[in-house]
Amino acid sequence: MKVEVKMPATPVLTVAQIEAYRRDGFVVLRNAFDDEDTRTIIRWADEVEALPEELGKQWVFHEVSELDGRDLINRIEYIAPFHSGFASLTEILGTAAGQLLEEEAVLFKEKINFKMPGGGGFEPHQDSQAGWEDYASNFITVMICIDEATLENGCLELAPGQNKRGLLRGMEPLTEADTKDMTFVPVPTQPGDMVLFDAYTPHQSAPNPTATQRRVYYATYNKASEGDHIDQYYADKRKNFPPDIERDPNRVYVYKV
Ligand SMILES: O=C(O)CCC(=O)C(=O)O
């Protein structure tokens, strides 16, 4: 017997939330998903983690634990084509992204960052530094918290209002000079919370030295009027930073931002 899965409800931003985004470059929605929908999303993340790592499927990237040198999953990208739940979720999240883009949103990329115990952090950066301006003028990334994200396990930290400065530098993390006047605000989140931010909002996060994983899902959108770039984005990325299973053992791959 096939069990029907109830799809998560679509979060819609209030006027006050849209205003907060316009002021800060990001907005936090507490309990964007109710408990049942959050449990569904957590189960989907578990399913994605359990999928076999195969050529031509979801993109799995590993890292080495900073605690004990074990092999960890760092992130899994390009999930929706191989998981119907996440495919639905990319549609659902497009509504709020479209509210901030002020027109229909089209998916650009998506991933789960796992940050398992011993997983590394992220240096301060703006997402557009990764060459995204080649595809569209700006993007909205929607983050869904899957596991509790705390100060201890490396929650997201964002710098309010700094997106208005535009692109601060190319393919390298922001420097101390770039960030000296910035305040990074830690945003601890509970499963089911959502954070939306644009591609010029500087953000960072600390490594996870705790015993619990900190998974978050990110879906990134651009304006439909600026084109549908997901296939080109992943084709370009495949050339420089392919999933681990596709890598040439004689080549060195460097993660930039
Ligand atoms: O998941 C995080 O803590 C930050 C992720 C991030 O900044 C990125 O993937 O570019």
Side-chain angles (χ1 to χ4, degrees):
M1 192 184 73
K2 195 166 188 307
V3 181
E4 284 298 317
V5 178
K6 179 180 147 300
M7 282 302 135
T10 301
V12 177
L13 305 180
T14 63
V15 171
Q17 287 164 340
I18 294 171
E19 276 170 7
Y21 163 77
R22 300 254 170 269
R23 184 187 63 229
D24 295 334
F26 68 90
V27 59
V28 183
L29 275 72
R30 301 290 173 195
N31 300 308
F33 294 95
D34 69 16
D35 288 351
E36 184 185 356
D37 289 349
T38 302
R39 277 196 300 275
T40 300
I41 295 167
I42 292 171
R43 182 165 50 75
W44 288 346
D46 294 340
E47 288 169 5
V48 167
E49 185 176 344
L51 289 173
E53 198 174 331
E54 290 171 352
L55 283 174
K57 295 291 179 57
Q58 78 282 4
W59 290 23
V60 184
F61 296 87
H62 295 252
E63 66 183 318
V64 174
S65 167
E66 293 177 7
L67 292 177
D68 56 16
R70 271 185 315 134
D71 174 66
L72 307 175
I73 294 179
N74 167 277
R75 67 183 190 285
I76 301 182
E77 294 207 24
Y78 198 49
I79 299 164
F82 309 103
H83 190 283
S84 59
F86 278 98
S88 306
L89 203 52
T90 62
E91 302 287 327
I92 289 166
L93 301 180
T95 296
Q99 286 182 277
L100 298 186
L101 290 165
E102 298 181 29
E103 65 166 79
E104 193 189 332
V106 61
L107 186 69
F108 178 62
K109 61 174 289 177
E110 37 113 35
K111 62 179 176 179
I112 298 171
N113 280 358
F114 281 76
K115 208 179 268 190
M116 291 176 160
F122 290 80
E123 298 293 324
H125 66 279
Q126 301 167 298
D127 286 335
S128 273
Q129 289 178 258
W132 292 10
E133 288 186 340
D134 292 348
Y135 303 95
S137 60
N138 203 350
F139 300 81
I140 295 295
T141 292
V142 185
M143 184 210 96
I144 303 178
C145 178
I146 299 173
D147 305 305
E148 183 181 34
T150 63
L151 285 178
E152 292 72 30
N153 70 14
C155 65
L156 198 57
E157 303 174 23
L158 303 115
Q162 298 289 334
N163 61 330
K164 300 187 174 60
R165 294 167 62 190
L167 189 67
L168 293 170
R169 86 180 29 252
M171 287 263 197
E172 56 180 344
L174 298 175
T175 64
E176 272 183 32
D178 296 328
T179 59
K180 75 174 176 1
D181 296 323
M182 294 183 189
T183 305
F184 284 87
V185 179
V187 182
T189 46
Q190 293 294 322
D193 290 349
M194 200 162 107
V195 181
L196 298 95
F197 56 97
D198 82 359
Y200 295 100
T201 296
H203 55 284
Q204 63 183 16
S205 69
N208 179 9
T210 75
T212 53
Q213 67 180 346
R214 190 236 58 173
R215 292 171 298 178
V216 294
Y217 177 66
Y218 292 103
T220 300
Y221 302 82
N222 61 272
K223 291 182 176 182
S225 64
E226 295 187 359
D228 181 347
H229 303 290
I230 189 165
D231 290 342
Q232 190 61 50
Y233 170 77
Y234 280 112
D236 293 343
K237 189 160 183 171
R238 182 166 250 135
K239 287 185 206 139
N240 303 319
F241 211 75
D244 289 357
I245 197 169
E246 290 183 16
R247 291 193 171 193
D248 173 351
N250 299 315
R251 195 175 146 190
V252 176
Y253 299 88
V254 183
Y255 184 80
K256 297 200 172 113
V257 278

